Amino acid sequence: MFVRLLRSWLAVVGVTALVAGSRALFLSDTSGVAMMKSQLYLVQADEATALASRVWGAWVMLAAFVRIYAAIHFDCKPLYDAAMFTFAVALYHFWMESYFYKTADPTSPGTR
């Protein structure tokens, strides 16, 4: 039961990340930058660039593919470990942005 729930959760998180990453990567430059400024980081207008949006989108899509593939092939331990590592990298990134660089607000994500 728990394994099925974890596998489903991993797939849902992967698909959600795929949508967010493709939005930042493939939509117009202003849309991706607007998303980064309004939903992710507490930055000024000139600090969020189209390049930063595309790089963030590429990372999120890569992590999404690893997570979806791990959900499909749940019995493959190295792949599952790689998926968990993507969460560790994301946690480290957002921790640094929140507490070291102070460009993200951990108490109210998605708001400014």
Side-chain angles (χ1 to χ4, degrees):
M1 175 68 183
F2 178 73
V3 171
R4 189 180 314 159
L5 181 65
L6 182 59
R7 186 178 188 176
S8 299
W9 175 82
L10 191 57
V12 167
V13 170
V15 170
T16 303
L18 189 63
V19 170
S22 61
R23 182 176 165 203
L25 192 60
F26 296 120
L27 290 182
S28 66
D29 290 345
T30 56
S31 176
V33 172
M35 181 189 63
M36 288 185 71
K37 288 189 293 190
S38 66
Q39 297 177 6
L40 293 175
Y41 302 105
L42 303 170
V43 295
Q44 302 299 320
D46 59 341
E47 292 177 335
T49 65
L51 174 61
S53 175
R54 290 189 301 271
V55 168
W56 183 84
W59 155 253
V60 171
M61 286 192 61
L62 176 64
F65 288 131
V66 170
R67 294 169 185 167
I68 291 169
Y69 200 66
I72 293 169
H73 301 284
F74 199 72
D75 296 334
C76 181
K77 184 169 174 17
L79 190 55
Y80 177 79
D81 291 344
M84 292 303 111
F85 185 69
T86 66
F87 288 110
V89 171
L91 179 66
Y92 173 76
H93 167 75
F94 284 111
W95 184 86
M96 289 294 288
E97 292 296 332
S98 296
Y99 298 107
F100 186 75
Y101 297 114
K102 307 248 189 277
T103 56
D105 185 6
T107 60
S108 58
T111 61
R112 288 181 58 135

